[in-house]
Amino acid sequence: MMNSLATALSDFFFEYETPRQVLVRNKHIGVVCRLVQLAVLGYIVGWVFLYEKGYQSTGSAVSSVLTKMKGVGFTRVNGTERVWDVADYVFPEQGDSSFVIMTNYIMTEGQRQGTCPEVRPHFDWQMTGKCVNETGTCEVFAWCPIEHDREIPNPPLLMSSENYTLFIKNSITFPQFQVFRSNLVEGIDNKYLKSCIYNEEKDRYCPIFRLGDIVKLANFEFSAIAREGGTIGIIISWECNLDLPIKYCRPEYQFHGLYRSVEEEESAKASVGYNFRYAKYYMEGGVEKRTLIKVFGIRLDITVRGEARKFDIIPTLTAIGSGVGIFGVATVVCDLVLLHVLPKKNLYKNMKFKYTVSQEEVSCFPESVTILNLQPSLRGMSSG
Amino acid sequence: MMNSLATALSDFFFEYETPRQVLVRNKHIGVVCRLVQLAVLGYIVGWVFLYEKGYQSTGSAVSSVLTKMKGVGFTRVNGTERVWDVADYVFPEQGDSSFVIMTNYIMTEGQRQGTCPEVRPHFDWQMTGKCVNETGTCEVFAWCPIEHDREIPNPPLLMSSENYTLFIKNSITFPQFQVFRSNLVEGIDNKYLKSCIYNEEKDRYCPIFRLGDIVKLANFEFSAIAREGGTIGIIISWECNLDLPIKYCRPEYQFHGLYRSVEEEESAKASVGYNFRYAKYYMEGGVEKRTLIKVFGIRLDITVRGEARKFDIIPTLTAIGSGVGIFGVATVVCDLVLLHVLPKKNLYKNMKFKYTVSQEEVSCFPESVTILNLQPSLRGMSSG
Amino acid sequence: MMNSLATALSDFFFEYETPRQVLVRNKHIGVVCRLVQLAVLGYIVGWVFLYEKGYQSTGSAVSSVLTKMKGVGFTRVNGTERVWDVADYVFPEQGDSSFVIMTNYIMTEGQRQGTCPEVRPHFDWQMTGKCVNETGTCEVFAWCPIEHDREIPNPPLLMSSENYTLFIKNSITFPQFQVFRSNLVEGIDNKYLKSCIYNEEKDRYCPIFRLGDIVKLANFEFSAIAREGGTIGIIISWECNLDLPIKYCRPEYQFHGLYRSVEEEESAKASVGYNFRYAKYYMEGGVEKRTLIKVFGIRLDITVRGEARKFDIIPTLTAIGSGVGIFGVATVVCDLVLLHVLPKKNLYKNMKFKYTVSQEEVSCFPESVTILNLQPSLRGMSSG
């Protein structure tokens, strides 16, 4: 028993089997099949390997974004001048990746809880029951006086916001590859940061953006978006080939308007319109009051998209293995042509296949009886 | 040299090799193997290709979410009436994808820095050292008076919040496929938006949601979550087959309660309880004071999950190639049956394999001489 | 016609073809090829299957994070004492996944819109035109008095923030596998939560973190980051093998400083420095005033990374199929050695290949002539 196992093992290790093949000497099929095989090989090597970098594994990123606005705005409404600094016009103030820059506003000062006639009929405040017949509106219990927001100031009150600057700090980690990068890439030092402004051609890696430039790059007209507000997406796109030196792993900034309506989709223009209400509360004479501000502004949504690629043995071997499989498909196609299309198909069939007798027939003769073909000219086609 | 290379090349191009095969005429093995092969083929075509859409490549999405609440709340506490509008009850106010709607609160008015007795022993304020023996509490330096938050108002003060509505604007981009979509899909125009309310069956694409409906769809009871607060996740799920017309790329809204405790996991019920403290500061008589509000509310976390699929030649060929590989496995299995299980296995073995003489023997004769080996001992290596 | 189709079908189903092979009895090639094949098999089974878990499909997560800070700070500036509670020092207040804990500040009280001399020349406020020659600065229209932010308080005013605690609630869903988990894993009950503090070794699943520990784990010195501010990323990493019981699906907390500058990247030290300006508005004597606070603080960015893996038939079969392909590559390599390197290569070539006559030669004899096996009954098993 042990002996036969040892024999089987030694047989297994000292033998090697390789498929027997017919070598068809036919120019037509030869050229066609070789070309098909070369095409498959070209596809695997050229496309899957080189173009699509199938030898690399892919890893996604974990990222963090900090923002800082700079600039001062100035308004003059009904003769009253006012300056607006960052603490006044950025919401929220702590430098998030998604924030709003106020560019226009409707301010309702001195609101307090009480009763007053509503501005439009059927507004959703609490009704008191009293109705003022002349205007067709009713008295409501609300923050009074009620906001008049029918007319949006035009031109926008804070047109100077066009010159505000935005500083983006973005840090990205590819945990799978243990790679850490910041958007302050090589060559960006404090001196450069003090003077640079992002420019698609000249200063592609400067992380300081003029608000007017962002709006233009997102295909908006500044006066329109400043008046009614709007949403702009900034995508920081990292596509890093980590087989190259790390300094080539650099961000690309993309800007596009969000919230296109379906009708506008063909024209690829995003619609304007973004606002929210914000209240500053205070006490005056023991009564709680508030200043309600309807803020129209530019909302910036900063998204980071990171993908790193690096050589990895597993996708490489998977690509090779699956390529060999496709190679097999090419062979099957050639065989079909060989056995069913070519004029000498029967000859090839006979050479390719050896038939066992069907079960019904007696097959007492061992196969090796069939030989005895001694003619030398036929040796090539001999029993081998 | 050049000549021989040319010959090798022309040989290579004008020849085609195809494996020689034994065609076994055996009903049992035939049926079994064909069925195995058909099953493999069925799996590849039916499952990998048609069901799992293995011929498509997948791309993830970049998205942006804007929200806008509507509705007015009304409270009457100790005879004092108060209305609450969006600027009062939404935190933060600027329409983020994650925000809180206040549904209940404990308000501590007129707090100022000073000393007062703590409410509970061992609270973490700064101790002054003086202790009030009757109550067992000590004097602390804190914002005084100290908040009493043992009892949460019941019923919740802002039960009317059930009728607030939430408008979600979601815009999504599949950068890999250059596709841009908004949740205002085809058929949603301004007229429809003015009147529609999301309904799982009838209005699946209406982006306006009643807060009470959201709570119900997340399996919460409104009065419970309104009283103690809670967290609800809204997933906007885009699964787009871009081989179909773009209008079928539409969002699906899913609602579920977050922060289930481990014990509750079996019952699939999320736990209620969400609050935070918020202060409104003001000056009164030159002294800084604040109104501290412990806010209980419904926190909505909106997440967008997007996956687009489109025909791509690479996954198609990878699936085919790897399918051919699995086909090969089926063949190996059939061969094992053929050579080791069937009664006539030795016959098949002889037909399938041709043996070279082992190294020990002299093998000066070209192969076709090896025939005529009628000696039974050599039959294993016979011409077959 | 129908008849011949039926014959073809029955032929197809009752036949099975298997490649004919040469079994080479050569110790060298045998051992080499078997070892190559075993290596490939070992790679597929050991690496792709067991180590990389190629039999599993991967799903990403949808997650939600809630945070809650605890602790009271205490400052004494110019003899004035002040306490700071959560509502005072956390921005934003509602417990987001990204927030700032104030650790130092420059407060400018009583600012009002007006004119005053600028602090530094060329500041970006609105100039009035009047310049004060002695100081070299000009008068500006701004929020006056202007903030003096040259000197950052040292030591930081809120050093006590080191003892604040952070409670993280994280809930994660793997939609593909219908799995829901919370970071309050098995064994974490209310009693444990009341007393535990996260510790890398002893309390790895306690979701309550001391701010000082977080700073230390991110390789910062507390006094430095508290003085100038800084950004720390907390990654909650879920790597779940869903083939194991669900209780092994547990989070891992990782801490690292963000925004390293390029020069510092080698030293793996993140740079300190994070601040923003924040204003509290109030009315005093009918005039709007504000308290401007330049906040230096620790910004925590909590990111959730989730990946679940579970057995799936498709990646399993894809891995097998592609493994068979790689097996084929091994065979090709062995064949090259066999046919071009070994001394008896011609013998093996003759055994492996059967040549058809080249096209130039007359091949009028059908192949089956080569036999001379005139017994009709045996033709099926003929020399082919």
Side-chain angles (χ1 to χ4, degrees), chain B residues 17 19-27 29-31 33-35 37-38 43 47-48 52 91-92 98 100 113 124-126 141-143 231 235 256-260 262-263 265 273-279 281-283 286 288 290 292 299 301 303 305 321-322 325-326 328-329 331 334-335 338 351-360 363 365-367 381 383-384, chain C residues 11-28 62-68 70-72 74 81-88 93-97 109 169-171 173 175-176 180-182 184-186 188-189 246 278 280-284 291 313-314 317-322 324-325 344 347-348 350-355 380-381 383-384:
Chain B
E17 76 257 348
R20 296 176 68 183
Q21 300 192 296
V22 183
L23 220 91
V24 179
R25 287 223 171 98
N26 178 311
K27 275 185 189 169
I29 190 89
V31 167
C33 288
R34 291 305 184 199
L35 287 183
Q37 286 175 342
L38 280 179
Y43 157 79
W47 186 259
V48 178
E52 294 280 339
F91 305 87
S98 172
V100 183
Q113 301 262 336
D124 52 5
W125 291 102
Q126 187 78 16
F141 180 62
W143 287 97
T231 312
I235 297 180
H256 53 98
L258 298 174
Y259 306 110
R260 274 173 250 174
V262 168
E263 295 87 46
E265 204 153 320
Y274 171 75
N275 62 73
F276 66 91
R277 283 183 184 83
Y278 162 71
Y281 300 87
Y282 57 93
M283 296 297 269
E288 188 182 13
R290 70 175 194 184
L292 181 68
R299 178 170 161 151
D301 269 6
T303 315
R305 225 160 59 87
S322 129
I326 301 171
V329 174
T331 301
C334 285
D335 273 14
L338 189 74
M351 293 186 74
K352 183 177 170 71
F353 295 112
K354 174 158 114 183
Y355 300 88
T356 64
V357 290
S358 60
Q359 277 189 308
E360 286 73 33
S363 70
F365 303 101
E367 190 239 3
M381 332 166 27
S383 70
Chain C
D11 274 6
F12 176 75
F13 266 105
F14 294 162
E15 283 175 6
Y16 167 71
E17 76 257 350
T18 178
R20 297 176 67 185
Q21 300 192 300
V22 184
L23 220 91
V24 179
R25 287 224 170 96
N26 178 310
K27 276 186 188 167
H28 301 300
V62 172
S63 71
S64 168
V65 168
L66 275 194
T67 56
K68 194 157 201 167
K70 259 197 184 162
V72 174
F74 180 79
E81 293 177 328
R82 198 184 157 94
V83 290
W84 300 80
D85 67 2
V86 174
D88 300 325
E93 59 277 297
Q94 74 265 13
D96 276 357
S97 63
E109 289 174 292
K169 260 178 153 177
N170 171 220
S171 135
T173 312
Q176 197 177 324
F180 179 96
R181 290 289 284 168
S182 149
L184 305 178
V185 293
E186 289 79 6
I188 297 189
D189 50 18
I246 191 71
Y278 163 70
K280 297 192 278 190
Y281 300 86
Y282 58 93
M283 297 296 270
E284 204 172 48
T291 300
I313 191 72
I314 292 198
L317 287 176
T318 303
I320 292 177
S322 131
V324 170
K344 286 192 279 179
L347 168 65
Y348 298 130
N350 279 333
M351 293 185 74
K352 183 175 170 73
F353 294 112
K354 172 157 118 182
Y355 301 89
M381 332 162 29
S383 69

Side-chain angles (χ1 to χ4, degrees), chain B residues 79-179:
Chain B
T80 309
E81 293 177 327
R82 200 184 155 93
V83 289
W84 300 81
D85 67 1
V86 174
D88 299 325
Y89 66 70
V90 174
F91 305 87
E93 58 277 297
Q94 74 266 10
D96 276 358
S97 63
S98 172
F99 61 98
V100 183
I101 300 145
M102 176 158 65
T103 54
N104 202 2
Y105 62 89
I106 293 168
M107 202 189 277
T108 314
E109 289 174 293
Q111 281 192 328
R112 50 176 289 181
Q113 301 262 336
T115 56
C116 46
E118 57 183 352
V119 172
R120 279 169 262 174
H122 310 303
F123 199 60
D124 52 5
W125 291 102
Q126 187 78 16
M127 300 284 172
T128 60
K130 287 187 224 161
C131 281
V132 188
N133 281 333
E134 304 95 75
T135 60
T137 60
C138 296
E139 201 183 71
V140 289
F141 180 62
W143 287 97
C144 292
I146 281 181
E147 179 188 72
H148 289 251
D149 66 343
R150 270 282 166 89
E151 269 176 44
I152 304 172
N154 193 8
L157 299 169
L158 282 155
M159 267 303 278
S160 54
S161 51
E162 198 166 356
N163 290 318
Y164 295 169
T165 57
L166 164 65
F167 179 26
I168 299 180
K169 261 178 150 177
N170 170 220
S171 134
I172 193 165
T173 312
F174 296 104
Q176 198 178 322
F177 305 114
Q178 308 275 348
V179 166

